[in-house]
Each structure stands twice: as C-alpha cells, then as structure tokens.
Amino acid sequence: MSMLDIKGLNVWFGRARDRVDAVKSATFTVAQGESFGLVGESGSGKSTILRAITGLAPTWSGKIHVEDQPIPARRPKSFYKTVQMVFQDPYASLHPRHSVDQVLGETLHLHGFKDIDNRVVKLLDDVGLGQKFRFRYPHQLSGGQRQRVAIARALAPEPKLLLLDEPTSALDVSVQAEILNLLADLRQMHDLTYVMVSHDLSVVGHMCDRLAVMKDGEIVEIMDVSALQRMEATHPYAQHLLQASV
C-alpha cells in the first residue's frame, strides 16, 4: 500500500504578475515503510512540497493522498496523528520558554493521550536523551539535543509518515551522523515512512530507498538509491548534480 501519493502538485506564492510558481506538476508515490528523498539546489521546491503536504503552503492545486485518502484544503486534526514534520532549525521550532516536559506533554495532551508522564519518559528514551533532560529549556541544550527533542515531539502522536526538512543541515558535522543514525533506528522501531528533503546526496544515499531530483520547481528524475550510488542518471541536471557531489 502507498503511504503518500502526490499527483500534479502545483504550489505558488503571490498573485498575477507577482506570482511565483514554486512547484510545478510534481508527481510521485511513496510506499508504506519506504524512505524517499527530495534533492536539488536551494530554491528548487523541495521544502515547499513538504509544506504543501502539511498545510503550511496554502496556495496549491493537484492531488495529495495519504493512505489512499484525499487530503482536504483544511487539514483535520486526525491528519496530524498520521503525518508529522521535523524542521531544519531545531531552535526556531521549539518555544524558548517551554521546557522539554512542556513541549512533549502539551503535544501528547493535544492529541488526546493519557498517561502523559510515562509517555514523555518513553519518548526521551527513544531519542537517546533520558529523564535528565526532561525539565531543561532549549537554551540549555546543544543543537543535536534540541533536534532530538524536536524528533520526540514529532513522534508523540505516533505518526506513520514523517516529513524531514533538512533535519541535520543546521547541526555540527560531528552530530549529523548521530541524528541520521537515530532516524534510521526510529524508522525500523516504529515502522515509519519518511520523506526527506536534503541538498546532500551522501545523506540521501545513506537514508533513502529512492529519490526525486528537483530543478526550478520540477521533478526531473526519480531513481533508486542504487542508481545514485552507481552515479547513473539520465537527465542532464541529475547527472550534473551527481558529478558535483563527488
């Protein structure tokens, strides 16, 4: 079964002469349990696709299906129990005056969970932090620790689909591998489906099964990661991207 179906997705900003078409006729499918990458240069439309899926990009057309169900323009609360997103900058995505306990506890409460104390502890254990971080604030955490909290928050509603928007690009190189390995472990542990945006082909090669290459808002090629690792691409831009990554 497919977890995510995108057909003819267009996303734009502004009106009339000020209109900018950020995504043009994007079409791809992500199977349940798959990890799918979106790669391309800055401004190619990768993150905009994730924002359209979650409802953060309000002007779009086309079809978005999650678990074979069409997604309406106004996302129902149940949508966010199935789909969650991890953002690029973990400091900006966490409330500076909310402790880790508040961040996770309020998310759990919002989604109707009981036994919140035990669930907070379990979430912190799952992301490799533990109880000692429970009552700390974002400014008391390193970048990697903040991103672990952001991942725990995304896991709190027990989603099936996780959208990852450059989840390691704001982190030190020494921490990036730790977070990627954590995400790989969590995918197996919770049977998650990933859609990961990255400009780093080595990250996509490590994390994903397939990938779509984007240029100027369009998907120009979809390939298996095995083709990426063999440096085999058919579209000239995809070939250029692969060669530039060597």
Side-chain angles (χ1 to χ4, degrees), residues 34-36 162 164 183 186-187 192-196 207:
E34 185 178 19
S35 183
F36 187 86
L162 216 55
L164 305 168
L183 287 167
L186 290 169
R187 180 184 163 206
L192 293 166
T193 303
Y194 286 169
V195 178
M196 171 178 273
M207 291 292 297

Side-chain angles (χ1 to χ4, degrees), residues 94 98-124 133-136 149 152-157:
L94 298 175
H98 285 189
S99 68
V100 172
D101 183 70
Q102 287 174 287
V103 168
L104 300 182
E106 288 177 5
T107 303
L108 288 163
H109 177 73
L110 182 67
H111 288 280
F113 287 99
K114 309 299 181 186
D115 194 21
I116 286 177
D117 278 0
N118 287 336
R119 286 181 175 273
V120 167
V121 172
K122 176 69 163 57
L123 285 166
L124 289 173
F133 290 91
R134 183 173 177 179
F135 297 103
R136 296 188 188 180
V149 173
R153 180 181 58 187
L155 292 175

